[in-house]
Amino acid sequence: MRTTAASLIALYIAFLIGLDAPKWAAMTVWIVAQESRGMSLSKSKYRMAGTTLGAVVAVALIALFSQTPALIMLTLALWLGLCTGIATALRNFRAYGAVLAGYTAVIIVMDAVAAPEHVFDIAIARITYIFLGIIVEAVLAAIFAPGNPLNDARRQLDGYVRQAAAICAATLKGDANDVALHPLMAKAVNLHTALEYAAAGSTVMKRRLGHFQACATATLALLVAARQSKTPPAGALELMSETQALLEAVATNPSARHLAVASLNERVKTACSQEALTVGALPSPRLILLDQLRVLLESLHQALVQLDSLDHEQAPALPLAFHIDPVAAVHNGVRTFLAVLAAASFCMVTGWSSGPGFVTIVGVVCALFATRANPVAGGIGFMLGAACAAIAAALCNFVLLPAVSDFAMLALITGGFMCAAGLAMRHPRTAAPGASFAIFFWNLISPQNNSQMIDAANFFNGVLILLLGMACGTLIFALVFPASPRAARYRLHRAVRRDLRRIGHHPGRWTGGEWLTRTADRLGHQLTAVGRHFDTQAGRELRGLLGAWTIGDAVIALHQLAEGFHPARRPVAVLLRRLTDIDPLRLARAARSSARHFTWQSRGASESKRQDLLSAAILSLAIAEAASEHGAFLGAG
């Protein structure tokens, strides 16, 4: 109801100021409308930027190549392909802004190609429609969906911490498995996205975003630490049981639990110190477990401290890292370029009078869906929504709207259709058809400042162009670089190995948080690629991803240790060289040698240095174990 009202208000204002195509103001409201105010503001910001950039490019293309239509089409296809490729490498609504910069240029150029002298007026009108729709939607969202982004984000984060604590407790008991743990780890990336949207809707939330991100990242580290825990040897059962009980208490109520976590962690550290006095050639299994409990409790403590300080401290956003697939970016750019070029060539050869509209639809569909995991399914859903919009628009144009002449009746008739579309957009299964209906319904009824009846021939020609353009774009998805989950998984695994080499070359350029968030993002991509076909191979690949995370995280930590402790530099340097080679066997041997070296050095060191050196030995053993266990994953390709 809110979005329907906003679209009608934007349409009415467009009528009042005499815009030539007021439908664009109403369409924009539905395009930028989102579940929360923060999401709407974030999308609106990038839509404004993308529209402005696309309009500037369109004016420049017409000014430079207005006498050579073939060159205009070629450069336009290149521009849209470039924008689509860039969008593939971006995240959230930044990607949408890049896509919009591409297809805005297509829309304006196709409108102005027959009358190039009016391109500036067309561009200004386009920007006006978009900005009007965005402003009206933002105002109504602020009034009728104010919410509280800070409290909403806190509630989401609190729920994530509770879930993580519960599954970690179950993992330590042996009651949980990777099927439950992996999706929760991948969920951290979605949580970071939600926090970014909340920050877009609240300046207070924006100032405190760093605390929220730190809490989410620490919780993710907690999940990883719980997964790496071993079966407790004799003498460590009591501390393990206490850790389980504390995690269960956090799952019930995480508030003010950080003191209890810190107290238990001190006891674990004391046990580590006592065990270190009797260390042999390598750390004992009990010492390894105690050190893992220490890491787990430190991650839990950091998460709870950040959670308890959200309301009264300020912190800027933290640097995070996510997965980028350059091959997918190139594929999306190339197929969008070929689709627009093929559509434009067909129209130029045949002299089709409706060619500009056809090229516009092909460009918009390719740009919107090329970056999705399954563009064919998205295109089909959009076609279904457009077909439903055509039926509803025909009913309005030829039965309902000719009988009315005032805006109140127009709003009453169209409002019912739009409310239904808004409800459809709220459900994942009907979101694509609902969004398509909401956008193209306004395009097909094309309300004007007069009661002139729409010509039936023009209407059905417009419907034909719309559906043909969508079908052409969807066909391009199916034929040019068709989606291949297996190839996507192979590229993802290759990117993991490439990043491990980069860590080996330049470990100082990485932080543990960046490596962790990128791994979680890749875990999400892996789960998406696997889908419902979870088999033995998929399980090995997921475990290989986490094994690679173990190696990278341990190497980053060892490099930080070596920076402040000169005797550790040589064995760490050897590990770095072996990591750049990605030879699992040699890496495992070097890691075991480093573990023995660090253990030997710990015997004559002070207590504080002894703990650091034994932690380094344990990290080295973790590298050796991961390299040996996941050698096939690390050494493939």
Side-chain angles (χ1 to χ4, degrees), residues 189-458:
V189 178
N190 297 330
L191 181 59
H192 279 294
T193 299
L195 295 176
E196 183 182 345
Y197 291 150
S202 168
T203 55
V204 176
M205 175 64 194
K206 187 175 183 178
R207 291 195 300 268
R208 301 177 184 178
L209 180 60
H211 282 308
F212 284 84
Q213 291 176 328
C215 181
T217 303
T219 305
L220 178 57
L222 169 67
L223 289 166
V224 175
R227 185 188 179 278
Q228 293 178 326
S229 61
K230 306 293 184 181
T231 302
L237 287 171
E238 182 181 352
L239 290 171
M240 177 72 89
S241 299
E242 290 188 43
T243 303
Q244 294 170 3
L246 188 53
L247 285 167
E248 291 172 348
V250 170
T252 303
N253 181 16
S255 178
R257 297 282 185 184
H258 63 274
L259 296 177
V261 174
S263 175
L264 180 58
N265 195 28
E266 286 301 319
R267 291 174 55 199
V268 171
K269 288 180 180 179
T270 300
C272 285
S273 300
Q274 294 173 351
E275 184 68 22
L277 297 175
T278 60
V279 71
L282 288 173
S284 64
R286 185 172 186 273
L287 180 58
I288 293 175
L289 176 71
L290 291 171
D291 190 74
Q292 289 171 342
L293 286 180
R294 177 188 61 80
V295 173
L296 185 151
L297 290 169
E298 286 178 354
S299 298
L300 179 60
H301 182 260
Q302 182 180 0
L304 295 179
V305 167
Q306 296 290 350
L307 190 65
D308 288 339
S309 63
L310 297 179
D311 292 333
H312 54 80
E313 293 186 20
Q314 298 182 3
L318 298 176
L320 305 173
F322 302 100
H323 175 66
I324 297 176
D325 188 346
V327 174
V330 172
H331 284 180
N332 286 334
V334 168
R335 65 181 174 186
T336 301
F337 165 76
L338 293 176
V340 175
L341 194 62
S345 300
F346 173 79
C347 296
M348 292 177 65
V349 170
T350 60
W352 187 16
S353 60
S354 300
F358 177 72
V359 175
T360 299
I361 295 299
V362 170
V364 170
V365 169
C366 286
L368 281 176
F369 292 101
T371 57
R372 299 203 176 186
N374 192 339
V376 175
I380 292 174
F382 229 54
M383 287 179 63
L384 177 62
C388 294
I391 296 172
L395 177 64
C396 290
N397 287 337
F398 304 118
V399 178
L400 300 177
L401 294 183
V404 303
S405 59
D406 62 323
F407 184 83
M409 289 304 298
L410 170 68
L412 183 63
I413 291 171
T414 59
F417 291 103
M418 301 318 298
C419 282
L423 289 173
M425 291 171 65
R426 291 287 293 175
H427 296 276
R429 290 186 178 181
T430 57
S436 178
F437 183 99
I439 295 170
F440 293 111
F441 175 77
W442 286 114
N443 184 56
L444 292 172
I445 65 172
S446 297
Q448 299 292 332
N449 263 321
N450 55 63
S451 57
Q452 182 179 358
M453 187 171 179
I454 292 179
D455 180 70
N458 289 335

Side-chain angles (χ1 to χ4, degrees), residues 109 115 162 170 225 364 392 431 628-629:
V109 168
R162 289 171 184 259
V364 170
S628 300
E629 182 179 353

